[in-house]
Amino acid sequence: MRKRGTLKIKLESDLCIGSGYSFAGVIDSDVCYDKFGLPFIPARRIKGDLREAAETTLHSIFNKVDIEKMFGTRGNSGVKGITIENAYPENYEEIKEELENAKKSEILNTNLSVENLLGCYTNVKSQTKIEENGVAKDLSLRYTRVVNKYSPINNKPLVFEANVFFDDNAIKEEDIKILAKALRNIGLKRNRGLGKVSCSFEEDKKSASIKSDELYKIEYTIKNIEPLMMSNRTNNKTENYISGQSVLGLLANNYIYKNGKASAESEEFKDLFLRGKAIYTDLTLCKNEKKYYPAPLFINQLKKTKKLVNIEAKPQKDDGKDYVADNGNQPKKLKGKFIADFGNNTFDIAQVEKDIVYHHSHRNKSESGKKGILYALEVISENQKFSGSIILPGKYIKTIEDLLNYEIRFGKSKSAQYGRCILEKIESSKFNKKVFKASKGNTIAVSFISDGIFINNGNYTNYYEEVADIIAKQLGIKIDQISDDYYSLLQTKIIYGYQSMWNLRKAPIAGIEAGSTFVFKLAEDAVINKEFVGERNLEGYGNIKIITLDNMPYKLLLVENKTDKKNPIEFNLIKPIINKVIINSICEKLKKSTLKKFDKVDITASTLGRVTLMLKESIDTTDKIEAFSNFVGRINSIKREKEKQKIKKNILDKISENDKLSYEKIKNLADDASDEIVYLEKNYKKNANNMILELWSEVLMSIFVMQKYSLKG
């Protein structure tokens, strides 16, 4: 039985997981971090350190055979022993999602750069070699970027989490727990105070209960890092999704070619790809971890006002003028678009991004003798996410996970330029059939979220009466006469396919297009637990979504309509990070503008040194704003009246009023930081004043530093 758990790595000191990169003259050893600037620990580093702990610290517990069973041996084919993923800060997915949302704001997008975010998690340490005489050796100064021990989010020791997979038939959970406890140091310079950690392993209880014959659902997300050209009825246009048929073909191919000993005649292969014991749904658009599905034909968008409506219902007087279908404001189908259901009759609309790519072929010559032809292809743009699921017996979960982690290429021209994808996310859980209940007299809508295929009397059919009768029988419902208030919406299509083994197209068949909706009025109470109807469900055909139409209004809401743009954006996890980067940005811009506006003060070097020391001693107090009064008191203690007045008039009076900090004066100094200050005032209101006021010491210190280097002599 394949189990999954989480390895938690808590920092007990700063950490440097070297990436191998350096920046000449700035950073000699850099850490590993992702595209956002969030640090992580590579899985190979973790596995290597765990193996080292097993071979050294735990040599009396584990022998060579045990170690090879857990970590494998060089040259092994396939995945054996413990499988470990990269370790990211806890709540990593939630942090990423909030960062994506934050970057939609222009001001936050500018300030939440990779460098600024990385600066919240890391610092730079310097190190030099000392000679026997106590003098630093020339050219020995080195700078190392390290991950801070404490998290910028909660000021507690930073915890990294890594998913761990293992086969409990070969490896005991207790052994992994022992390995985790033995891992005490990781990364560079662990004999110089860096890299001290404490580790623990927690088993995922969901994976512990996997039973071989029960059904489970694997939900996964991929991202196409190259354009996709998915087969369509024409040669130069692409579908806007990845069909379950394509997923099945990919995994079947991986099954045969990943392991040369695998056979298409095995029982496992037949169960997974031929007998229908596994179902592969279409991969459809996924945004912000939310899965979108083809828009049902009864959900339309008004042409002029762009409002979302349910054309199965009648408009109400209180729906508002924006929902009146007059003067050309007619409902239009969301053709080729996808929607996500957020509940409470609220939806979001999304569309797959596509590009036009041009190619030139030299193989086809025209009659005039010109070489080749120029042609264009419509393709799915790269870097989009698609999500789907696989329903299968528990005993095959490990097999499918391995196949998805092998190589993912979809569509045409996979050998060059097109088709390459990467696995972004994968989760498995016990499959619980959705149960839909409705009472006698209710009107239900059976909406297709994938294409459907139906056979009647041995022939493929897409006639409404025949298909509706098949759906009702397969769902086990008895239907009554439909009233004029509701009607079915049917869109037919010809379904194509391709058999790569023989390099031939499959015979086209009649089908029902995704988005089609069949409406039934129930003659009896119904309990429906089916999610698929029709034929070839193993390829994802016939996936349905059922809703009750009776209580669904004409007026539907779009997600953006729920957001009050006057109110600030709320963040649960990254709020402390946003505070820090915004304040740092204001501080840097404030210091720059301050140096331009403050003139040099004619005071002696000794007075300047004394005043600088006064400033440092004042800001050692806990409250930075109250520290200003302390600093003013120290300035008033200067006996040389002339120099004291120069400091007060030329420096203090420009940030204070009657020896009290002035928010307006400090704010007016930061011309370049006006956008950041507006953001603080809008999102933090009264607290914004204190955040700005606390920067007074940084402003004065920059003035004193400038003054020091401008003194004559």
Side-chain angles (χ1 to χ4, degrees):
M1 186 187 301
R2 193 70 172 173
K3 291 187 177 182
R4 178 174 62 186
T6 303
L7 180 67
K8 295 193 174 186
I9 304 173
K10 184 171 77 171
L11 300 192
E12 302 292 346
S13 70
D14 292 346
L15 169 73
C16 181
I17 295 295
S19 64
Y21 289 95
S22 62
F23 299 90
V26 183
I27 301 290
D28 294 289
S29 298
D30 205 357
V31 299
C32 297
Y33 54 90
D34 67 4
K35 65 178 182 179
F36 293 100
L38 297 171
F40 70 92
I41 306 174
R44 288 174 66 92
R45 210 73 53 84
I46 300 171
K47 194 169 184 178
D49 286 332
L50 286 173
R51 180 164 192 153
E52 183 182 15
E55 292 173 339
T56 56
T57 308
L58 303 174
H59 65 89
S60 62
I61 299 176
F62 301 118
N63 56 36
K64 185 177 180 181
V65 175
D66 295 329
I67 293 172
E68 290 182 351
K69 190 183 294 183
M70 288 188 289
F71 299 101
T73 56
R74 183 172 296 181
N76 273 356
S77 60
V79 179
K80 297 181 180 179
I82 299 173
T83 303
I84 301 176
E85 296 181 352
N86 293 341
Y88 294 96
E90 58 183 348
N91 301 315
Y92 176 69
E93 293 299 330
E94 291 82 358
I95 292 172
K96 279 202 310 180
E97 184 176 351
E98 289 191 12
L99 286 172
E100 290 282 8
N101 291 333
K103 287 179 177 291
K104 294 176 184 177
S105 164
E106 184 176 349
I107 184 68
L108 294 182
N109 184 43
T110 302
N111 286 282
L112 286 174
S113 63
V114 172
E115 293 77 13
N116 287 345
L117 194 60
L118 185 61
C120 293
Y121 279 89
T122 63
N123 69 86
V124 178
K125 292 184 180 293
S126 59
Q127 180 182 358
T128 190
K129 184 177 181 179
I130 303 298
E131 300 281 16
E132 292 181 359
N133 58 5
V135 178
K137 183 179 180 180
D138 290 342
L139 305 178
S140 65
L141 183 62
R142 296 290 181 269
Y143 294 99
T144 303
R145 179 148 34 205
V146 298
V147 180
N148 297 330
K149 174 184 175 181
Y150 295 101
S151 167
I153 293 177
N154 55 21
N155 285 325
K156 295 180 180 179
L158 185 60
V159 177
F160 289 87
E161 295 182 340
N163 289 326
V164 178
F165 301 87
F166 64 99
D167 189 343
D168 70 341
N169 292 323
I171 301 169
K172 296 178 181 179
E173 178 190 341
E174 289 302 318
D175 289 345
I176 302 179
K177 289 183 177 180
I178 293 171
L179 282 172
K181 289 181 180 179
L183 184 57
R184 301 293 180 88
N185 297 91
I186 191 170
L188 297 177
K189 300 183 180 178
R190 57 184 84 176
N191 60 345
R192 294 290 187 273
L194 298 182
K196 185 179 179 182
V197 297
S198 59
C199 301
S200 62
F201 176 77
E202 297 178 4
E203 184 191 351
D204 185 346
K205 298 303 180 183
K206 292 181 181 179
S207 65
S209 60
I210 291 178
K211 297 180 180 178
S212 61
D213 294 326
E214 289 188 1
L215 287 179
Y216 287 80
K217 177 186 281 190
I218 295 177
E219 295 181 289
Y220 63 106
T221 302
I222 66 163
K223 182 169 75 172
N224 64 314
I225 58 177
E226 293 178 349
L228 291 177
M229 180 60 187
M230 303 306 300
S231 295
N232 195 293
R233 66 191 68 183
T234 62
N235 288 324
N236 59 351
K237 285 192 174 183
T238 180
E239 294 280 12
N240 56 5
Y241 65 96
I242 301 168
S243 69
Q245 184 182 45
S246 297
V247 175
L248 186 151
L250 166 81
L251 297 180
N253 184 74
N254 283 356
Y255 186 92
I256 297 298
Y257 293 104
K258 181 187 174 188
N259 185 347
K261 297 180 181 179
S263 170
E265 299 300 322
S266 68
E267 292 299 310
E268 183 179 56
F269 184 91
K270 291 176 181 178
D271 283 350
L272 285 174
F273 306 114
L274 299 176
R275 292 171 175 160
K277 290 189 176 182
I279 294 177
Y280 305 85
T281 69
D282 294 344
L283 289 165
T284 54
L285 195 62
C286 177
K287 288 191 172 183
N288 298 324
E289 307 300 323
K290 187 76 173 178
K291 180 178 170 62
Y292 288 68
Y293 58 90
L297 294 179
F298 66 87
I299 296 181
N300 285 198
Q301 193 169 32
L302 296 175
K303 186 174 181 181
K304 289 187 175 180
T305 60
K306 305 302 180 184
K307 301 296 182 180
L308 212 60
V309 296
N310 163 31
I311 62 173
E312 291 284 4
K314 295 180 180 179
Q316 302 297 317
K317 292 183 179 179
D318 60 352
D319 284 340
K321 294 182 180 180
D322 289 341
Y323 289 87
V324 177
D326 291 339
N327 300 319
N329 193 32
Q330 301 297 325
K332 291 187 66 178
K333 295 178 182 178
L334 296 170
K335 188 175 181 181
K337 296 182 179 180
F338 295 80
I339 67 169
D341 189 347
F342 284 80
N344 298 321
N345 296 313
T346 303
F347 300 86
D348 186 35
I349 303 173
Q351 195 167 3
V352 174
E353 297 176 9
K354 297 180 180 179
D355 286 326
I356 301 297
V357 182
Y358 293 92
H359 294 280
H360 186 266
S361 173
H362 289 279
R363 291 183 296 173
N364 300 308
K365 296 183 179 181
S366 63
E367 294 179 359
S368 61
K370 294 181 180 179
K371 293 183 178 180
I373 58 172
L374 180 68
Y375 63 96
L377 294 177
E378 179 192 70
V379 298
I380 295 175
S381 306
E382 64 270 24
N383 295 320
Q384 297 183 78
K385 293 182 181 180
F386 297 85
S387 180
S389 58
I390 302 172
I391 302 168
L392 73 172
K395 61 184 176 181
Y396 297 134
I397 287 178
K398 172 61 171 57
T399 300
I400 293 298
E401 286 179 344
D402 287 348
L403 296 178
L404 284 170
N405 279 287
Y406 182 52
E407 185 176 18
I408 304 177
R409 288 184 177 272
F410 288 114
K412 299 177 180 177
S413 297
K414 293 190 287 286
S415 62
Q417 188 168 343
Y418 299 110
R420 188 183 171 202
C421 304
I422 58 173
L423 186 65
E424 286 270 307
K425 184 179 180 182
I426 183 168
E427 293 179 346
S428 59
S429 60
K430 190 174 179 180
F431 176 62
N432 296 313
K433 289 186 177 180
K434 297 177 182 177
V435 178
F436 178 85
K437 296 180 180 180
S439 303
K440 177 181 178 180
N442 285 158
T443 304
I444 65 172
V446 179
S447 182
F448 281 75
I449 57 179
S450 70
D451 296 338
I453 297 175
F454 296 89
I455 295 177
N456 185 45
N457 295 326
N459 297 312
Y460 292 105
T461 180
N462 56 13
Y463 287 107
Y464 167 72
E465 291 83 2
E466 295 178 355
V467 174
D469 186 55
I470 295 171
I471 293 173
K473 288 180 179 178
Q474 292 187 357
L475 295 181
I477 59 175
K478 292 188 178 181
I479 57 176
D480 202 348
Q481 184 66 34
I482 297 295
S483 66
D484 294 335
D485 293 336
Y486 301 102
Y487 48 90
S488 296
L489 296 160
L490 178 65
Q491 185 72 50
T492 62
K493 71 179 295 185
I494 301 299
I495 295 175
Y496 297 85
Y498 193 81
Q499 180 53 262
S500 59
M501 181 178 292
W502 296 300
N503 196 24
L504 292 173
R505 285 184 177 273
K506 292 181 179 179
I509 58 177
I512 303 297
E513 189 170 2
S516 297
T517 303
F518 288 79
V519 176
F520 302 102
K521 186 175 182 181
L522 298 178
E524 294 180 356
D525 293 349
V527 177
I528 305 170
N529 60 6
K530 280 200 168 188
E531 297 182 29
F532 294 86
V533 293
E535 307 297 323
R536 290 166 59 176
N537 298 151
L538 78 162
E539 300 172 31
Y541 289 108
N543 199 359
I544 57 173
K545 181 181 178 69
I546 307 175
I547 61 170
T548 303
L549 285 176
D550 300 284
N551 299 321
M552 192 174 183
Y554 175 79
K555 176 183 176 180
L556 304 177
L557 298 177
L558 283 166
V559 169
E560 61 256 32
N561 291 344
K562 292 183 68 180
T563 302
D564 186 354
K565 296 182 180 179
K566 296 180 182 178
N567 290 333
I569 303 173
E570 294 292 337
F571 300 104
N572 295 322
L573 291 172
I574 66 171
K575 192 172 182 178
I577 294 176
I578 291 176
N579 290 354
K580 187 172 182 178
V581 297
I582 290 290
I583 291 297
N584 286 346
S585 176
I586 294 174
C587 186
E588 290 303 314
K589 292 180 178 180
L590 189 60
K591 287 192 286 187
K592 289 180 181 178
S593 59
T594 297
L595 297 180
K596 296 177 183 177
K597 294 183 179 182
F598 277 69
D599 297 326
K600 297 175 184 177
V601 183
D602 185 18
I603 57 177
T604 63
S606 61
T607 301
L608 178 62
R610 183 181 175 191
V611 171
T612 303
L613 181 61
M614 288 178 178
L615 175 60
K616 291 178 179 178
E617 290 176 344
S618 298
I619 60 178
D620 284 341
T621 59
T622 53
D623 191 303
K624 287 188 177 181
I625 298 177
E626 291 181 1
F628 182 74
S629 299
N630 187 317
F631 179 66
V632 171
R634 291 171 184 265
I635 294 296
N636 288 329
S637 69
I638 297 176
K639 293 181 179 180
R640 294 180 182 178
E641 187 67 26
K642 187 175 181 180
E643 292 201 344
K644 177 172 66 176
Q645 293 303 324
K646 284 181 181 180
I647 294 170
K648 295 189 71 173
K649 181 179 179 181
N650 295 295
I651 298 178
L652 294 189
D653 288 352
K654 292 188 178 182
I655 64 169
S656 64
E657 199 75 53
N658 298 324
D659 291 340
K660 289 187 177 181
L661 282 172
S662 170
Y663 173 71
E664 290 300 325
K665 284 188 175 182
I666 295 178
K667 176 182 171 183
N668 291 335
L669 289 174
D671 297 332
D672 295 338
S674 57
D675 290 340
E676 284 86 351
I677 291 175
V678 169
Y679 176 86
L680 281 183
E681 292 175 334
K682 180 180 178 181
N683 288 271
Y684 298 95
K685 299 179 181 178
K686 292 183 180 180
N687 291 335
N689 295 14
N690 289 342
M691 292 180 185
I692 301 299
L693 288 174
E694 287 180 352
L695 299 177
W696 70 271
S697 59
E698 301 284 351
V699 174
L700 292 190
M701 188 59 74
S702 65
I703 295 171
F704 294 156
V705 171
M706 176 194 71
Q707 185 74 21
K708 175 183 177 181
Y709 289 101
S710 64
L711 289 174
K712 295 179 180 179

